[in-house]
Amino acid sequence: MCGIVAGVSGRDIVPVLVQGLQRLEYRGYDSCGVAVHAGGLRRARSTARVAELMQQVQTEGIASGTGIAHTRWATHGAPAVHNAHPHFSHGPGDTAGAVGRVALVHNGIIENHDELRESLQAKGYVFESQTDTEVIAHLIDSLYDGDLFAALQGAVPQLHGAYSLAVFHRDEPHRVVGARAGSPLVLGVGMLDGQAGTEHFLASDAMALAGVTDQIVYLEEGDLVDLQLGRYWVTNAQGRPFEASDRPVKTVHAHSGAAELGPYRHYMQKEIFEQPRAIGDTLDGISGITPELFGDGAYRIFKDIDNVLILACGTSYYSGCTAKYWLESIAKIPTQVEVASEYRYRTSVPNPRTLVVTITQSGETADTLAALRHAQGLGMKHTLTICNVATSAMVRECALAYVTRAGVEIGVASTKAFTTQLAGLFLLTLALAQMRGHLSEEAEAEHLKAMRHLPVALQGVLALEPQIISWAEDFGRMENALFLGRGLHYPIALEGALKLKEISYIHAEAYPAGELKHGPLALVTSAMPVVTVAPNDTLLEKLKSNMQEVRARGGVLYVLADADTRIKSSEGIHVIRMPEHYGVLSPILHVVPLQLLAYHTALAKGTDVDKPRNLAKSVTVE
């Protein structure tokens, strides 16, 4: 979602700011901008890509040692230059278009912006945008009395909602202040001319500072930060400075090279083909199943639980739905899966012996973090996350963690993050099964052998791409699609439908195949392709009956079948055979053709694969 880069230095940092925005492009945005202190306030804003902003900056000669930059994903106000960040505050009585005194960028949503706007308008402030962000700039200006940090400190208690902020003032060159509450923000301690700590940066993601500094301080909820030349302070909301041990500087290798496209046409394609490596890395070093795979204290926590609650959103929610089948069938432990954005707004029955499992690619997903905190507030202290970012808020806030090793995922539509989540969740299943006495040594050995073979098996699935391209040519002419699965593969059908609608904009739905006759069958015609996930499992014969229901209504089937299912291609039935049957781990294999189908269908329709409309990679606001 929105991205922030800011800094104070003795050199021109505008190239650093713009480069940082380019590294955050994967998060999704619809406008971008940069503002600097150059005697007064100067800025450039664009509703095009960051590359166009860079050209604008170079043409206008914008340079400074103090500046802030932003990529915006629209919430309040349409994507337009006047709504783009950075926002300026002009002060009461200033005319629209005045240069201004305060420059500010903001991630998040201010829920009480209407009340604040009315109050500020009554004081004479003129608003030029429809954003909630401009309210903060005017509020800070109204509180300014020669000390920008004090003005920020006075503004923060009046802000209700989620935010990370970076602000500078016309009258205080070489100073940027910031704050975070519910939205991520990191501090980068830089080095200029060989001297450590001589320049400092703020960013919403350490990746934005790759190549500039690897010395990172992770700001916590409620922190305020003051950056000046050669020094910085991190304080709580009351202004009390933290000790260095409370906010330690960590060396973080945010590899900018991971964002290189290489020989691939799109990041999504690259990331689909990286899945054998990602799974291999995620499982690297695992020689046996033990609770300590999930952190110190896991044995004690696992002994003290009697059920599992999974909290997640989007694709991560579907990985949780898959894990429910594993956890209940293999570990024999009752499991509930909740959409994180819904969970904290309903009345539930807490059980202190619950293992609360969060699943998130970024570890900064606002709804999932809020759901975790809600569960903790209800007295459920046993928490574990499956996450791809070791330094994220989610990993820091959970008692236990399994960090997947998918690497940086740039494409908005998640692929390798999903399959590595499944790998982590299967390991959790085996660990809980072992603790509960449901995993023999022989079964453990067989499961581990199958997991180690996954990279090779995935290579075999990727080799099916030419056949999937043929399917995509048909789908590119369609406006709707239906996905069917049964049992363990119903969540995979859901994920396949999500991928297709995310990047091709084809309306797609998924159902348990047995539900066809309870409503969805009314939609089936020759213009409604029906994708069916058909592994050779105990529900295969039932699934075949459901497929016949589709054919009897003139529907056209596209079937992903195991070799021994005896499902053959014929009129109205297109079959792709999977290289091998993979038992309980087959969801990890069966989802890959669905990813490829979505990708190649999007190519056929000419959509923006990596940056689909209206969507963002990391959802850091409600």
Side-chain angles (χ1 to χ4, degrees):
M1 198 160 274
C2 303
I4 286 175
V5 192
V8 174
S9 176
R11 60 169 168 149
D12 175 22
I13 61 167
V14 172
V16 173
L17 301 180
V18 176
Q19 183 184 62
L21 293 187
Q22 288 179 315
R23 292 196 174 126
L24 296 179
E25 283 190 289
Y26 75 98
R27 295 163 70 101
Y29 67 104
D30 43 48
S31 63
C32 52
V34 60
V36 301
H37 192 293
L41 272 56
R42 294 189 66 191
R43 69 180 167 190
R45 298 184 292 179
S46 173
T47 55
R49 293 301 184 198
V50 174
E52 195 276 339
L53 177 69
M54 180 184 293
Q55 186 65 45
Q56 186 179 341
V57 164
Q58 292 170 345
T59 300
E60 297 179 13
I62 296 176
S64 176
T66 302
I68 56 179
H70 192 264
T71 51
R72 174 181 185 251
W73 189 81
T75 53
H76 295 76
V81 171
H82 69 279
N83 286 326
H85 300 214
H87 286 285
F88 288 176
S89 177
H90 312 293
D94 287 353
T95 59
V99 173
R101 295 189 291 263
V102 171
L104 178 142
V105 291
H106 161 229
N107 289 355
I109 291 177
I110 304 303
E111 296 172 355
N112 62 329
H113 66 96
D114 283 334
E115 302 95 293
L116 291 172
R117 184 186 298 265
E118 290 178 8
S119 172
L120 291 161
Q121 285 174 329
K123 294 178 181 179
Y125 282 90
V126 176
F127 285 79
E128 297 181 357
S129 75
Q130 288 80 50
T131 68
D132 55 339
T133 298
E134 192 180 3
V135 168
I136 315 172
H138 290 325
L139 178 61
I140 290 173
D141 182 84
S142 74
L143 297 169
Y144 185 77
D145 189 23
D147 185 339
L148 182 59
F149 188 79
L152 176 68
Q153 190 178 349
V156 162
Q158 300 184 51
L159 303 177
H160 302 162
Y163 54 83
S164 53
L165 307 172
V167 194
F168 70 87
H169 195 280
R170 179 191 63 191
D171 296 341
E172 298 187 64
H174 304 302
R175 189 182 200 186
V176 171
V177 301
R180 71 148 292 185
S183 190
L185 193 66
V186 303
L187 162 65
V189 180
M191 180 180 293
L192 186 61
D193 298 328
Q195 291 186 293
T198 48
E199 59 180 11
H200 300 106
F201 301 92
L202 293 176
S204 48
D205 189 325
M207 183 178 172
L209 304 178
V212 178
T213 180
D214 61 1
Q215 300 300 291
I216 302 296
V217 177
Y218 286 92
L219 302 178
E220 300 291 344
E221 192 77 2
D223 283 0
L224 306 183
V225 60
D226 188 348
L227 308 186
Q228 299 185 32
L229 277 179
R231 53 185 178 172
Y232 71 86
W233 295 266
V234 181
T235 80
N236 64 12
Q238 289 72 45
R240 182 184 64 81
F242 289 104
E243 298 293 332
S245 58
D246 294 325
R247 297 294 183 271
V249 178
K250 299 182 179 180
T251 300
V252 176
H253 299 291
H255 300 290
S256 60
E260 299 300 324
L261 197 54
Y264 297 96
R265 188 170 174 183
H266 296 92
Y267 286 111
M268 183 178 180
Q269 182 187 28
K270 174 178 183 267
E271 288 153 11
I272 290 172
F273 278 84
E274 284 178 340
Q275 287 177 112
R277 189 273 310 158
I279 291 286
D281 288 351
T282 295
L283 301 176
D284 186 47
I286 295 175
S287 57
I289 299 300
T290 170
E292 282 66 36
L293 289 172
F294 300 89
D296 295 339
Y299 179 85
R300 175 185 55 80
I301 289 174
F302 288 176
K303 288 291 284 184
D304 194 41
I305 64 167
D306 58 19
N307 73 104
V308 174
L309 169 64
I310 297 175
L311 303 172
C313 299
T315 285
S316 296
Y317 172 76
Y318 296 145
S319 69
C321 291
T322 306
K324 174 182 171 71
Y325 286 92
W326 287 335
L327 287 162
E328 294 198 337
S329 64
I330 298 173
K332 315 295 184 187
I333 187 166
T335 301
Q336 184 178 357
V337 188
E338 295 261 6
V339 176
S341 58
E342 291 291 317
Y343 170 69
R344 69 187 177 113
Y345 292 115
R346 72 175 187 83
T347 302
S348 57
V349 181
N351 177 354
R353 298 194 66 190
T354 297
L355 178 65
V356 179
V357 178
T358 64
I359 311 171
T360 163
Q361 187 280 136
S362 68
E364 305 290 350
T365 307
D367 288 318
T368 310
L369 279 167
L372 168 70
R373 293 162 187 161
H374 176 68
Q376 291 170 326
L378 293 175
M380 294 186 284
K381 304 300 184 183
H382 298 325
T383 58
L384 181 152
T385 188
I386 306 292
C387 181
N388 193 42
V389 182
T391 54
S392 65
M394 190 67 76
V395 172
R396 296 196 302 273
E397 293 189 26
C398 284
L400 304 174
Y402 192 84
V403 178
T404 59
R405 298 175 187 170
V408 176
E409 189 177 65
I410 304 296
V412 166
S414 180
T415 52
K416 62 179 181 175
F418 177 73
T419 48
T420 53
Q421 285 171 355
L422 290 178
L425 288 163
F426 193 73
L427 287 174
L428 176 62
T429 299
L430 297 183
L432 290 175
Q434 183 187 76
M435 291 287 297
R436 297 168 66 82
H438 300 301
L439 185 70
S440 66
E441 290 185 7
E442 294 78 10
E444 176 183 339
E446 285 299 312
H447 285 310
L448 286 174
K449 179 181 177 182
M451 294 191 81
R452 294 189 190 103
H453 184 64
L454 276 172
V456 174
L458 283 166
Q459 292 287 7
V461 176
L462 290 168
L464 300 173
E465 186 179 31
Q467 298 176 60
I468 295 164
I469 291 172
S470 176
W471 281 15
E473 291 171 356
D474 294 343
F475 277 72
R477 297 187 292 270
M478 302 298 177
E479 295 183 358
N480 302 282
L482 196 62
F483 287 70
L484 301 178
R486 295 204 73 148
L488 185 61
H489 294 83
Y490 167 48
I492 300 307
L494 287 165
E495 173 62 9
L498 177 62
K499 285 291 153 285
L500 189 67
K501 62 184 131 188
E502 278 182 311
I503 62 168
S504 74
Y505 314 147
I506 292 173
H507 172 243
E509 294 187 57
Y511 286 92
E515 285 293 291
L516 266 178
K517 61 177 69 68
H518 296 285
L521 203 55
L523 299 172
V524 173
T525 70
S526 59
M528 172 74 83
V530 180
V531 180
T532 307
V533 183
N536 189 7
D537 59 18
T538 56
L539 291 170
L540 178 62
E541 294 307 316
K542 296 288 186 183
L543 184 62
K544 286 181 178 179
S545 298
N546 303 138
M547 291 166 57
Q548 290 303 316
E549 292 171 345
V550 171
R551 285 300 301 132
R553 276 78 179 176
V556 180
L557 287 161
Y558 293 80
V559 186
L560 292 170
D562 286 341
D564 51 358
T565 56
R566 297 195 302 276
I567 300 173
K568 298 180 180 179
S569 294
S570 59
E571 183 180 357
I573 303 180
H574 307 275
V575 179
I576 291 178
R577 299 201 178 281
M578 299 290 285
E580 53 185 303
H581 176 56
Y582 226 67
V584 292
L585 286 170
S586 68
I588 296 176
L589 301 187
H590 272 88
V591 75
V592 175
L594 301 182
Q595 296 169 349
L596 287 168
L597 177 62
Y599 173 72
H600 286 290
T601 302
L603 287 187
K605 294 181 74 67
T607 63
D608 190 342
V609 172
D610 287 330
K611 299 182 180 71
R613 67 189 182 202
N614 305 331
L615 299 179
K617 180 63 179 173
S618 181
V619 182
T620 55
V621 298
E622 272 198 274

